[in-house]
Short mmCIF file of all heavy atoms in Angstrom, two decimals:
data_model
loop_
_atom_site.label_atom_id
_atom_site.label_comp_id
_atom_site.label_asym_id
_atom_site.label_seq_id
_atom_site.Cartn_x
_atom_site.Cartn_y
_atom_site.Cartn_z
N ALA V 642 -1.33 -9.03 -1.41
CA ALA V 642 -2.75 -9.11 -1.67
C ALA V 642 -3.23 -7.87 -2.40
O ALA V 642 -4.04 -7.95 -3.32
CB ALA V 642 -3.50 -9.30 -0.37
N LEU V 643 -2.73 -6.70 -1.99
CA LEU V 643 -3.14 -5.46 -2.64
C LEU V 643 -2.77 -5.48 -4.12
O LEU V 643 -3.58 -5.11 -4.97
CB LEU V 643 -2.51 -4.26 -1.96
CG LEU V 643 -2.73 -2.92 -2.67
CD1 LEU V 643 -4.21 -2.55 -2.68
CD2 LEU V 643 -1.92 -1.83 -2.04
N ILE V 644 -1.57 -5.92 -4.42
CA ILE V 644 -1.13 -5.92 -5.81
C ILE V 644 -2.00 -6.85 -6.64
O ILE V 644 -2.39 -6.50 -7.76
CB ILE V 644 0.36 -6.31 -5.90
CG1 ILE V 644 1.22 -5.27 -5.17
CG2 ILE V 644 0.80 -6.46 -7.35
CD1 ILE V 644 1.01 -3.83 -5.59
N ALA V 645 -2.35 -8.00 -6.10
CA ALA V 645 -3.26 -8.91 -6.84
C ALA V 645 -4.60 -8.24 -7.06
O ALA V 645 -5.19 -8.34 -8.14
CB ALA V 645 -3.43 -10.21 -6.07
N TRP V 646 -5.08 -7.52 -6.06
CA TRP V 646 -6.37 -6.83 -6.19
C TRP V 646 -6.28 -5.72 -7.24
O TRP V 646 -7.16 -5.54 -8.05
CB TRP V 646 -6.79 -6.29 -4.83
CG TRP V 646 -8.21 -5.79 -4.77
CD1 TRP V 646 -9.30 -6.32 -5.40
CD2 TRP V 646 -8.69 -4.68 -4.03
NE1 TRP V 646 -10.43 -5.60 -5.08
CE2 TRP V 646 -10.08 -4.59 -4.23
CE3 TRP V 646 -8.07 -3.76 -3.19
CZ2 TRP V 646 -10.86 -3.61 -3.65
CZ3 TRP V 646 -8.86 -2.80 -2.60
CH2 TRP V 646 -10.24 -2.72 -2.83
N ILE V 647 -5.17 -4.98 -7.20
CA ILE V 647 -4.98 -3.92 -8.18
C ILE V 647 -4.95 -4.51 -9.59
O ILE V 647 -5.59 -4.00 -10.50
CB ILE V 647 -3.68 -3.14 -7.90
CG1 ILE V 647 -3.82 -2.29 -6.64
CG2 ILE V 647 -3.30 -2.26 -9.10
CD1 ILE V 647 -2.54 -1.63 -6.18
N ARG V 648 -4.19 -5.57 -9.76
CA ARG V 648 -4.10 -6.19 -11.09
C ARG V 648 -5.47 -6.67 -11.55
O ARG V 648 -5.83 -6.50 -12.71
CB ARG V 648 -3.10 -7.33 -11.08
CG ARG V 648 -1.68 -6.84 -11.00
CD ARG V 648 -0.70 -7.97 -11.01
NE ARG V 648 0.65 -7.45 -10.93
CZ ARG V 648 1.67 -8.12 -10.44
NH1 ARG V 648 1.52 -9.36 -10.02
NH2 ARG V 648 2.87 -7.57 -10.41
N GLY V 649 -6.25 -7.24 -10.67
CA GLY V 649 -7.60 -7.64 -11.01
C GLY V 649 -8.48 -6.45 -11.28
O GLY V 649 -9.39 -6.49 -12.11
N GLY V 650 -8.19 -5.35 -10.59
CA GLY V 650 -8.98 -4.13 -10.76
C GLY V 650 -8.84 -3.50 -12.12
O GLY V 650 -9.69 -2.75 -12.57
N GLU V 651 -7.74 -3.83 -12.79
CA GLU V 651 -7.56 -3.29 -14.13
C GLU V 651 -8.62 -3.81 -15.08
O GLU V 651 -8.92 -3.18 -16.09
CB GLU V 651 -6.15 -3.60 -14.62
CG GLU V 651 -5.10 -2.83 -13.82
CD GLU V 651 -3.68 -3.27 -14.08
OE1 GLU V 651 -3.46 -4.24 -14.82
OE2 GLU V 651 -2.77 -2.62 -13.54
N THR V 652 -9.21 -4.94 -14.74
CA THR V 652 -10.28 -5.50 -15.57
C THR V 652 -11.63 -5.39 -14.86
O THR V 652 -12.64 -5.72 -15.44
CB THR V 652 -10.01 -6.97 -15.92
OG1 THR V 652 -9.90 -7.73 -14.72
CG2 THR V 652 -8.73 -7.11 -16.74
N ASN V 653 -11.62 -4.95 -13.63
CA ASN V 653 -12.84 -4.80 -12.84
C ASN V 653 -13.12 -3.31 -12.66
O ASN V 653 -12.44 -2.64 -11.89
CB ASN V 653 -12.69 -5.48 -11.49
CG ASN V 653 -13.92 -5.36 -10.63
OD1 ASN V 653 -14.84 -4.62 -10.94
ND2 ASN V 653 -13.94 -6.06 -9.52
N PRO V 654 -14.11 -2.76 -13.33
CA PRO V 654 -14.33 -1.31 -13.26
C PRO V 654 -14.73 -0.80 -11.88
O PRO V 654 -14.68 0.39 -11.63
CB PRO V 654 -15.47 -1.09 -14.26
CG PRO V 654 -16.12 -2.41 -14.42
CD PRO V 654 -15.06 -3.45 -14.16
N ASN V 655 -15.11 -1.66 -10.96
CA ASN V 655 -15.52 -1.22 -9.63
C ASN V 655 -14.35 -1.04 -8.66
O ASN V 655 -14.54 -0.54 -7.57
CB ASN V 655 -16.52 -2.21 -9.03
CG ASN V 655 -17.80 -2.26 -9.84
OD1 ASN V 655 -18.25 -1.24 -10.34
ND2 ASN V 655 -18.35 -3.44 -9.99
N PHE V 656 -13.16 -1.47 -9.04
CA PHE V 656 -12.02 -1.42 -8.14
C PHE V 656 -11.80 -0.02 -7.57
O PHE V 656 -11.77 0.18 -6.36
CB PHE V 656 -10.75 -1.89 -8.87
CG PHE V 656 -9.50 -1.71 -8.06
CD1 PHE V 656 -9.19 -2.60 -7.06
CD2 PHE V 656 -8.65 -0.63 -8.29
CE1 PHE V 656 -8.03 -2.44 -6.30
CE2 PHE V 656 -7.49 -0.47 -7.54
CZ PHE V 656 -7.19 -1.37 -6.55
N TRP V 657 -11.66 0.97 -8.42
CA TRP V 657 -11.36 2.33 -7.96
C TRP V 657 -12.55 2.95 -7.24
O TRP V 657 -12.38 3.84 -6.41
CB TRP V 657 -10.88 3.19 -9.12
CG TRP V 657 -9.55 2.71 -9.64
CD1 TRP V 657 -9.34 2.01 -10.79
CD2 TRP V 657 -8.28 2.83 -9.01
NE1 TRP V 657 -8.01 1.70 -10.91
CE2 TRP V 657 -7.33 2.19 -9.84
CE3 TRP V 657 -7.85 3.42 -7.84
CZ2 TRP V 657 -5.98 2.13 -9.52
CZ3 TRP V 657 -6.49 3.36 -7.51
CH2 TRP V 657 -5.58 2.72 -8.36
N ASP V 658 -13.76 2.49 -7.55
CA ASP V 658 -14.95 3.01 -6.87
C ASP V 658 -15.02 2.57 -5.42
O ASP V 658 -15.59 3.26 -4.58
CB ASP V 658 -16.22 2.55 -7.59
CG ASP V 658 -16.35 3.13 -8.98
OD1 ASP V 658 -15.74 4.19 -9.25
OD2 ASP V 658 -17.05 2.52 -9.80
N VAL V 659 -14.45 1.41 -5.11
CA VAL V 659 -14.50 0.87 -3.75
C VAL V 659 -13.52 1.58 -2.82
O VAL V 659 -13.81 1.78 -1.64
CB VAL V 659 -14.21 -0.65 -3.78
CG1 VAL V 659 -14.03 -1.20 -2.38
CG2 VAL V 659 -15.31 -1.39 -4.50
N LEU V 660 -12.39 1.98 -3.33
CA LEU V 660 -11.35 2.54 -2.48
C LEU V 660 -11.82 3.70 -1.60
O LEU V 660 -11.53 3.71 -0.40
CB LEU V 660 -10.14 2.95 -3.32
CG LEU V 660 -9.44 1.81 -4.05
CD1 LEU V 660 -8.31 2.36 -4.91
CD2 LEU V 660 -8.94 0.75 -3.11
N PRO V 661 -12.55 4.67 -2.13
CA PRO V 661 -12.98 5.78 -1.27
C PRO V 661 -13.98 5.39 -0.19
O PRO V 661 -14.26 6.17 0.71
CB PRO V 661 -13.62 6.78 -2.24
CG PRO V 661 -13.13 6.39 -3.58
CD PRO V 661 -12.87 4.92 -3.52
N THR V 662 -14.52 4.18 -0.26
CA THR V 662 -15.50 3.74 0.74
C THR V 662 -14.87 2.96 1.89
O THR V 662 -15.56 2.60 2.83
CB THR V 662 -16.59 2.87 0.09
OG1 THR V 662 -16.04 1.61 -0.30
CG2 THR V 662 -17.22 3.57 -1.10
N ILE V 663 -13.59 2.70 1.81
CA ILE V 663 -12.91 1.94 2.87
C ILE V 663 -12.82 2.83 4.11
O ILE V 663 -12.33 3.96 4.05
CB ILE V 663 -11.52 1.47 2.41
CG1 ILE V 663 -11.68 0.47 1.25
CG2 ILE V 663 -10.74 0.86 3.57
CD1 ILE V 663 -10.39 0.03 0.62
N SER V 664 -13.28 2.32 5.23
CA SER V 664 -13.35 3.14 6.45
C SER V 664 -12.50 2.60 7.60
O SER V 664 -12.63 3.08 8.72
CB SER V 664 -14.80 3.29 6.89
OG SER V 664 -15.34 2.01 7.19
N VAL V 665 -11.66 1.64 7.34
CA VAL V 665 -10.78 1.12 8.38
C VAL V 665 -9.38 1.69 8.17
O VAL V 665 -9.01 2.06 7.05
CB VAL V 665 -10.74 -0.43 8.37
CG1 VAL V 665 -12.09 -1.00 8.71
CG2 VAL V 665 -10.24 -0.95 7.03
N PRO V 666 -8.59 1.79 9.23
CA PRO V 666 -7.23 2.30 9.07
C PRO V 666 -6.44 1.42 8.09
O PRO V 666 -6.50 0.19 8.15
CB PRO V 666 -6.64 2.21 10.47
CG PRO V 666 -7.82 2.19 11.38
CD PRO V 666 -8.91 1.48 10.62
N CYS V 667 -5.72 2.05 7.20
CA CYS V 667 -4.93 1.32 6.20
C CYS V 667 -3.52 1.87 6.14
O CYS V 667 -3.32 3.08 6.11
CB CYS V 667 -5.57 1.45 4.82
SG CYS V 667 -7.16 0.65 4.67
N LEU V 668 -2.57 0.96 6.09
CA LEU V 668 -1.17 1.30 5.86
C LEU V 668 -0.73 0.50 4.65
O LEU V 668 -0.75 -0.72 4.67
CB LEU V 668 -0.31 0.93 7.08
CG LEU V 668 1.20 1.10 6.90
CD1 LEU V 668 1.55 2.55 6.65
CD2 LEU V 668 1.93 0.57 8.13
N LEU V 669 -0.37 1.19 3.61
CA LEU V 669 0.12 0.55 2.40
C LEU V 669 1.60 0.87 2.27
O LEU V 669 2.03 2.00 2.60
CB LEU V 669 -0.62 1.07 1.17
CG LEU V 669 -2.05 0.58 1.01
CD1 LEU V 669 -2.99 1.28 1.95
CD2 LEU V 669 -2.50 0.79 -0.41
N TYR V 670 2.37 -0.09 1.83
CA TYR V 670 3.80 0.15 1.64
C TYR V 670 4.30 -0.64 0.45
O TYR V 670 3.71 -1.65 0.05
CB TYR V 670 4.60 -0.19 2.90
CG TYR V 670 4.49 -1.62 3.35
CD1 TYR V 670 5.42 -2.57 2.93
CD2 TYR V 670 3.48 -2.03 4.22
CE1 TYR V 670 5.33 -3.89 3.35
CE2 TYR V 670 3.39 -3.34 4.64
CZ TYR V 670 4.32 -4.26 4.21
OH TYR V 670 4.23 -5.56 4.63
N ALA V 671 5.39 -0.15 -0.11
CA ALA V 671 6.00 -0.82 -1.25
C ALA V 671 7.47 -0.44 -1.30
O ALA V 671 7.87 0.63 -0.86
CB ALA V 671 5.31 -0.42 -2.55
N VAL V 672 8.24 -1.33 -1.87
CA VAL V 672 9.66 -1.07 -2.09
C VAL V 672 9.77 0.01 -3.17
O VAL V 672 9.13 -0.09 -4.22
CB VAL V 672 10.39 -2.35 -2.53
CG1 VAL V 672 11.83 -2.07 -2.91
CG2 VAL V 672 10.31 -3.40 -1.44
N GLU V 673 10.55 1.03 -2.90
CA GLU V 673 10.66 2.15 -3.83
C GLU V 673 11.14 1.73 -5.22
O GLU V 673 10.74 2.32 -6.22
CB GLU V 673 11.57 3.23 -3.25
CG GLU V 673 10.93 3.92 -2.06
CD GLU V 673 11.83 4.95 -1.42
OE1 GLU V 673 13.00 5.11 -1.84
OE2 GLU V 673 11.36 5.61 -0.47
N GLU V 674 11.94 0.71 -5.28
CA GLU V 674 12.49 0.27 -6.55
C GLU V 674 11.59 -0.74 -7.27
O GLU V 674 11.94 -1.24 -8.34
CB GLU V 674 13.88 -0.35 -6.36
CG GLU V 674 14.94 0.64 -5.89
CD GLU V 674 14.89 0.94 -4.39
OE1 GLU V 674 14.20 0.23 -3.63
OE2 GLU V 674 15.53 1.92 -3.97
N SER V 675 10.45 -1.06 -6.70
CA SER V 675 9.59 -2.08 -7.30
C SER V 675 8.72 -1.47 -8.41
O SER V 675 8.45 -0.27 -8.42
CB SER V 675 8.67 -2.72 -6.26
OG SER V 675 7.63 -1.83 -5.89
N GLY V 676 8.28 -2.31 -9.29
CA GLY V 676 7.39 -1.88 -10.35
C GLY V 676 6.00 -1.54 -9.86
O GLY V 676 5.22 -0.91 -10.57
N GLU V 677 5.67 -1.95 -8.65
CA GLU V 677 4.33 -1.73 -8.10
C GLU V 677 4.26 -0.50 -7.20
O GLU V 677 3.20 -0.14 -6.71
CB GLU V 677 3.87 -2.97 -7.31
CG GLU V 677 3.91 -4.25 -8.10
CD GLU V 677 3.01 -4.25 -9.33
OE1 GLU V 677 2.09 -3.41 -9.41
OE2 GLU V 677 3.23 -5.07 -10.22
N TYR V 678 5.38 0.15 -6.99
CA TYR V 678 5.44 1.29 -6.07
C TYR V 678 4.42 2.37 -6.44
O TYR V 678 3.64 2.82 -5.60
CB TYR V 678 6.86 1.87 -6.06
CG TYR V 678 7.03 3.08 -5.19
CD1 TYR V 678 7.31 2.95 -3.84
CD2 TYR V 678 6.92 4.37 -5.72
CE1 TYR V 678 7.48 4.07 -3.03
CE2 TYR V 678 7.08 5.49 -4.92
CZ TYR V 678 7.36 5.33 -3.59
OH TYR V 678 7.51 6.43 -2.79
N ALA V 679 4.42 2.81 -7.69
CA ALA V 679 3.53 3.90 -8.11
C ALA V 679 2.06 3.51 -7.96
O ALA V 679 1.24 4.33 -7.54
CB ALA V 679 3.83 4.30 -9.55
N LYS V 680 1.72 2.27 -8.29
CA LYS V 680 0.33 1.82 -8.15
C LYS V 680 -0.10 1.79 -6.69
O LYS V 680 -1.21 2.19 -6.35
CB LYS V 680 0.13 0.44 -8.77
CG LYS V 680 0.13 0.44 -10.28
CD LYS V 680 -0.13 -0.95 -10.79
CE LYS V 680 -0.11 -0.99 -12.30
NZ LYS V 680 -0.36 -2.34 -12.82
N ALA V 681 0.77 1.29 -5.83
CA ALA V 681 0.43 1.22 -4.40
C ALA V 681 0.28 2.62 -3.82
O ALA V 681 -0.64 2.88 -3.05
CB ALA V 681 1.50 0.44 -3.64
N LYS V 682 1.15 3.54 -4.21
CA LYS V 682 1.07 4.92 -3.72
C LYS V 682 -0.22 5.59 -4.20
O LYS V 682 -0.91 6.27 -3.43
CB LYS V 682 2.29 5.70 -4.19
CG LYS V 682 2.40 7.07 -3.58
CD LYS V 682 3.71 7.72 -3.95
CE LYS V 682 3.86 9.06 -3.27
NZ LYS V 682 5.14 9.70 -3.58
N ALA V 683 -0.56 5.39 -5.46
CA ALA V 683 -1.80 5.96 -6.01
C ALA V 683 -3.02 5.36 -5.32
O ALA V 683 -4.00 6.07 -5.06
CB ALA V 683 -1.87 5.71 -7.52
N THR V 684 -2.97 4.08 -5.02
CA THR V 684 -4.08 3.43 -4.34
C THR V 684 -4.28 4.03 -2.95
O THR V 684 -5.40 4.31 -2.54
CB THR V 684 -3.84 1.92 -4.24
OG1 THR V 684 -3.71 1.38 -5.57
CG2 THR V 684 -4.96 1.21 -3.51
N ALA V 685 -3.20 4.24 -2.23
CA ALA V 685 -3.29 4.82 -0.88
C ALA V 685 -3.94 6.20 -0.90
O ALA V 685 -4.68 6.55 0.01
CB ALA V 685 -1.90 4.90 -0.25
N LYS V 686 -3.70 6.96 -1.95
CA LYS V 686 -4.29 8.30 -2.05
C LYS V 686 -5.81 8.24 -2.22
O LYS V 686 -6.50 9.21 -1.93
CB LYS V 686 -3.67 9.06 -3.21
CG LYS V 686 -2.25 9.48 -2.96
CD LYS V 686 -1.68 10.23 -4.14
CE LYS V 686 -0.24 10.63 -3.87
NZ LYS V 686 0.35 11.35 -5.01
N GLN V 687 -6.32 7.12 -2.68
CA GLN V 687 -7.76 6.99 -2.91
C GLN V 687 -8.51 6.50 -1.67
O GLN V 687 -9.74 6.55 -1.64
CB GLN V 687 -8.02 6.03 -4.08
CG GLN V 687 -7.42 6.49 -5.38
CD GLN V 687 -7.96 7.83 -5.82
OE1 GLN V 687 -9.16 8.06 -5.79
NE2 GLN V 687 -7.07 8.73 -6.20
N ILE V 688 -7.80 6.01 -0.67
CA ILE V 688 -8.42 5.49 0.55
C ILE V 688 -8.37 6.57 1.62
O ILE V 688 -7.28 7.03 1.99
CB ILE V 688 -7.69 4.22 1.04
CG1 ILE V 688 -7.72 3.13 -0.03
CG2 ILE V 688 -8.31 3.71 2.34
CD1 ILE V 688 -6.83 1.94 0.29
N PRO V 689 -9.52 7.01 2.11
CA PRO V 689 -9.53 8.07 3.11
C PRO V 689 -8.69 7.73 4.34
O PRO V 689 -8.84 6.66 4.93
CB PRO V 689 -11.01 8.18 3.51
CG PRO V 689 -11.76 7.62 2.35
CD PRO V 689 -10.87 6.53 1.79
N GLY V 690 -7.77 8.62 4.67
CA GLY V 690 -6.95 8.43 5.86
C GLY V 690 -5.85 7.40 5.74
O GLY V 690 -5.12 7.16 6.70
N ALA V 691 -5.70 6.79 4.58
CA ALA V 691 -4.65 5.77 4.42
C ALA V 691 -3.28 6.43 4.45
O ALA V 691 -3.12 7.59 4.06
CB ALA V 691 -4.83 5.01 3.12
N GLU V 692 -2.32 5.68 4.92
CA GLU V 692 -0.95 6.16 4.93
C GLU V 692 -0.13 5.26 4.00
O GLU V 692 -0.33 4.04 3.96
CB GLU V 692 -0.38 6.11 6.35
CG GLU V 692 1.00 6.70 6.43
CD GLU V 692 1.44 7.03 7.84
OE1 GLU V 692 0.62 6.93 8.77
OE2 GLU V 692 2.61 7.37 8.01
N PHE V 693 0.79 5.87 3.28
CA PHE V 693 1.66 5.12 2.38
C PHE V 693 3.10 5.33 2.83
O PHE V 693 3.51 6.45 3.15
CB PHE V 693 1.52 5.59 0.93
CG PHE V 693 2.45 4.88 0.00
CD1 PHE V 693 2.16 3.61 -0.44
CD2 PHE V 693 3.64 5.46 -0.39
CE1 PHE V 693 3.03 2.93 -1.27
CE2 PHE V 693 4.52 4.80 -1.22
CZ PHE V 693 4.21 3.53 -1.67
N VAL V 694 3.87 4.24 2.83
CA VAL V 694 5.28 4.30 3.20
C VAL V 694 6.09 3.64 2.10
O VAL V 694 5.81 2.52 1.70
CB VAL V 694 5.54 3.56 4.54
CG1 VAL V 694 7.02 3.58 4.88
CG2 VAL V 694 4.73 4.18 5.66
N GLY V 695 7.08 4.36 1.61
CA GLY V 695 8.02 3.79 0.65
C GLY V 695 9.19 3.18 1.40
O GLY V 695 9.71 3.76 2.35
N ILE V 696 9.57 1.98 1.00
CA ILE V 696 10.68 1.27 1.64
C ILE V 696 11.90 1.37 0.71
O ILE V 696 11.90 0.78 -0.37
CB ILE V 696 10.36 -0.22 1.87
CG1 ILE V 696 9.05 -0.37 2.64
CG2 ILE V 696 11.52 -0.93 2.55
CD1 ILE V 696 9.09 0.06 4.07
N PRO V 697 12.91 2.12 1.10
CA PRO V 697 14.09 2.25 0.24
C PRO V 697 14.95 1.00 0.27
O PRO V 697 15.21 0.44 1.33
CB PRO V 697 14.84 3.44 0.84
CG PRO V 697 14.40 3.51 2.25
CD PRO V 697 13.00 2.93 2.31
N GLY V 698 15.33 0.55 -0.90
CA GLY V 698 16.29 -0.54 -1.03
C GLY V 698 15.86 -1.90 -0.55
O GLY V 698 16.69 -2.79 -0.40
N GLY V 699 14.62 -2.12 -0.29
CA GLY V 699 14.17 -3.43 0.20
C GLY V 699 13.79 -4.35 -0.94
O GLY V 699 13.30 -3.92 -1.97
N GLY V 700 14.04 -5.61 -0.74
CA GLY V 700 13.62 -6.62 -1.70
C GLY V 700 12.37 -7.31 -1.18
O GLY V 700 12.03 -7.22 -0.01
N HIS V 701 11.68 -8.03 -2.04
CA HIS V 701 10.41 -8.67 -1.68
C HIS V 701 10.57 -9.60 -0.48
O HIS V 701 9.73 -9.62 0.41
CB HIS V 701 9.86 -9.44 -2.88
CG HIS V 701 8.58 -10.14 -2.58
ND1 HIS V 701 7.38 -9.47 -2.41
CD2 HIS V 701 8.30 -11.45 -2.37
CE1 HIS V 701 6.43 -10.34 -2.14
NE2 HIS V 701 6.95 -11.54 -2.11
N LEU V 702 11.61 -10.38 -0.44
CA LEU V 702 11.77 -11.37 0.63
C LEU V 702 12.38 -10.77 1.90
O LEU V 702 12.55 -11.47 2.87
CB LEU V 702 12.61 -12.55 0.14
CG LEU V 702 11.97 -13.33 -1.00
CD1 LEU V 702 12.91 -14.43 -1.48
CD2 LEU V 702 10.64 -13.93 -0.58
N GLU V 703 12.66 -9.50 1.89
CA GLU V 703 13.23 -8.85 3.05
C GLU V 703 12.16 -8.16 3.89
O GLU V 703 12.47 -7.35 4.76
CB GLU V 703 14.27 -7.82 2.62
CG GLU V 703 15.45 -8.44 1.88
CD GLU V 703 16.33 -7.38 1.23
OE1 GLU V 703 16.17 -6.19 1.55
OE2 GLU V 703 17.16 -7.76 0.41
N GLY V 704 10.90 -8.46 3.64
CA GLY V 704 9.80 -7.79 4.33
C GLY V 704 9.93 -7.77 5.83
O GLY V 704 9.57 -6.79 6.48
N GLY V 705 10.42 -8.82 6.43
CA GLY V 705 10.56 -8.88 7.87
C GLY V 705 11.57 -7.90 8.42
O GLY V 705 11.55 -7.58 9.60
N THR V 706 12.46 -7.40 7.60
CA THR V 706 13.48 -6.47 8.07
C THR V 706 13.01 -5.03 8.01
O THR V 706 13.72 -4.13 8.42
CB THR V 706 14.78 -6.61 7.24
OG1 THR V 706 14.50 -6.24 5.89
CG2 THR V 706 15.33 -8.01 7.29
N TRP V 707 11.82 -4.79 7.53
CA TRP V 707 11.31 -3.43 7.38
C TRP V 707 10.62 -2.92 8.64
O TRP V 707 10.14 -1.80 8.66
CB TRP V 707 10.30 -3.35 6.25
CG TRP V 707 10.81 -3.78 4.94
CD1 TRP V 707 12.12 -3.94 4.55
CD2 TRP V 707 10.02 -4.13 3.82
NE1 TRP V 707 12.17 -4.36 3.24
CE2 TRP V 707 10.90 -4.49 2.77
CE3 TRP V 707 8.66 -4.19 3.58
CZ2 TRP V 707 10.45 -4.88 1.52
CZ3 TRP V 707 8.22 -4.58 2.34
CH2 TRP V 707 9.11 -4.91 1.32
N ILE V 708 10.57 -3.70 9.68
CA ILE V 708 9.78 -3.34 10.85
C ILE V 708 10.22 -2.00 11.45
O ILE V 708 9.39 -1.23 11.91
CB ILE V 708 9.77 -4.46 11.91
CG1 ILE V 708 8.68 -4.20 12.95
CG2 ILE V 708 11.13 -4.63 12.57
CD1 ILE V 708 7.29 -4.26 12.41
N LYS V 709 11.49 -1.69 11.43
CA LYS V 709 11.95 -0.41 11.99
C LYS V 709 11.38 0.76 11.20
O LYS V 709 11.10 1.81 11.77
CB LYS V 709 13.47 -0.35 12.02
CG LYS V 709 14.08 -1.24 13.07
CD LYS V 709 15.58 -1.13 13.10
CE LYS V 709 16.13 -2.07 14.14
NZ LYS V 709 17.59 -2.04 14.18
N THR V 710 11.20 0.59 9.93
CA THR V 710 10.62 1.64 9.10
C THR V 710 9.11 1.72 9.28
O THR V 710 8.53 2.80 9.37
CB THR V 710 10.94 1.39 7.60
OG1 THR V 710 12.36 1.36 7.45
CG2 THR V 710 10.33 2.46 6.72
N LEU V 711 8.47 0.56 9.36
CA LEU V 711 7.01 0.53 9.40
C LEU V 711 6.41 0.71 10.80
O LEU V 711 5.30 1.22 10.92
CB LEU V 711 6.50 -0.79 8.83
CG LEU V 711 6.78 -1.01 7.34
CD1 LEU V 711 6.32 -2.40 6.92
CD2 LEU V 711 6.09 0.06 6.51
N LEU V 712 7.10 0.30 11.84
CA LEU V 712 6.54 0.30 13.18
C LEU V 712 5.97 1.65 13.62
O LEU V 712 4.84 1.68 14.14
CB LEU V 712 7.55 -0.23 14.20
CG LEU V 712 6.99 -0.49 15.59
CD1 LEU V 712 5.83 -1.47 15.55
CD2 LEU V 712 8.09 -1.01 16.50
N PRO V 713 6.63 2.76 13.40
CA PRO V 713 6.03 4.05 13.82
C PRO V 713 4.70 4.31 13.10
O PRO V 713 3.77 4.87 13.69
CB PRO V 713 7.08 5.09 13.43
CG PRO V 713 8.35 4.34 13.28
CD PRO V 713 7.98 2.95 12.87
N HIS V 714 4.59 3.90 11.87
CA HIS V 714 3.36 4.12 11.10
C HIS V 714 2.25 3.17 11.56
O HIS V 714 1.09 3.54 11.62
CB HIS V 714 3.63 3.92 9.61
CG HIS V 714 4.70 4.84 9.10
ND1 HIS V 714 4.45 6.15 8.77
CD2 HIS V 714 6.02 4.65 8.90
CE1 HIS V 714 5.58 6.72 8.38
NE2 HIS V 714 6.53 5.82 8.44
N ILE V 715 2.65 1.96 11.91
CA ILE V 715 1.68 0.98 12.43
C ILE V 715 1.11 1.49 13.75
O ILE V 715 -0.10 1.43 13.99
CB ILE V 715 2.34 -0.40 12.62
CG1 ILE V 715 2.70 -0.98 11.25
CG2 ILE V 715 1.42 -1.35 13.39
CD1 ILE V 715 3.60 -2.20 11.31
N ARG V 716 1.96 2.00 14.58
CA ARG V 716 1.50 2.52 15.89
C ARG V 716 0.54 3.68 15.74
O ARG V 716 -0.37 3.84 16.53
CB ARG V 716 2.70 2.92 16.74
CG ARG V 716 3.45 1.73 17.27
CD ARG V 716 4.52 2.13 18.23
NE ARG V 716 5.09 0.95 18.85
CZ ARG V 716 6.37 0.80 19.11
NH1 ARG V 716 7.24 1.75 18.80
NH2 ARG V 716 6.82 -0.31 19.66
N LYS V 717 0.72 4.50 14.70
CA LYS V 717 -0.17 5.64 14.48
C LYS V 717 -1.58 5.20 14.13
O LYS V 717 -2.54 5.86 14.52
CB LYS V 717 0.36 6.53 13.37
CG LYS V 717 1.40 7.52 13.82
CD LYS V 717 1.60 8.64 12.82
CE LYS V 717 2.33 8.18 11.59
NZ LYS V 717 2.68 9.28 10.67
N ILE V 718 -1.73 4.11 13.38
CA ILE V 718 -3.05 3.71 12.93
C ILE V 718 -3.68 2.64 13.81
O ILE V 718 -4.85 2.34 13.67
CB ILE V 718 -3.06 3.25 11.46
CG1 ILE V 718 -2.24 1.98 11.28
CG2 ILE V 718 -2.59 4.35 10.55
CD1 ILE V 718 -2.41 1.33 9.92
N ALA V 719 -2.88 2.06 14.71
CA ALA V 719 -3.41 0.97 15.55
C ALA V 719 -4.27 1.51 16.68
O ALA V 719 -4.21 2.58 17.11
CB ALA V 719 -2.25 0.15 16.11
#
């Protein structure tokens, strides 16, 4: 969903203006080898208190196997 929003944001000038106003805990993650990694990481830096996690070697359909990497971060923001 984030990637779709980012892609839409490239044509929507308000996209980057909204990010600093987000006040809920956010955890963003992306596969390090993906083309969207840099965009997701940059987006996380714009959201106050957001945490970003890079997933090494993961593929898109392997998302369910990332829980060991993500769980400690989820617990911090939950």
Side-chain angles (χ1 to χ4, degrees):
L643 173 64
I644 298 307
W646 191 36
I647 289 172
R648 287 181 181 155
E651 292 170 355
T652 59
N653 180 351
N655 296 323
F656 173 78
W657 293 104
D658 294 337
V659 170
L660 297 177
T662 70
I663 296 175
S664 61
V665 296
C667 294
L668 173 63
L669 287 76
Y670 60 93
V672 174
E673 291 177 356
E674 294 80 13
S675 74
E677 305 299 341
Y678 178 85
K680 286 182 181 180
K682 188 173 183 178
T684 300
K686 289 180 181 180
Q687 299 300 314
I688 301 171
E692 185 164 352
F693 177 79
V694 177
I696 306 290
H701 179 72
L702 297 177
E703 298 169 13
T706 64
W707 302 343
I708 194 66
K709 288 182 182 178
T710 301
L711 294 175
L712 190 57
H714 302 280
I715 293 168
R716 287 187 173 141
K717 277 197 287 187
I718 65 170

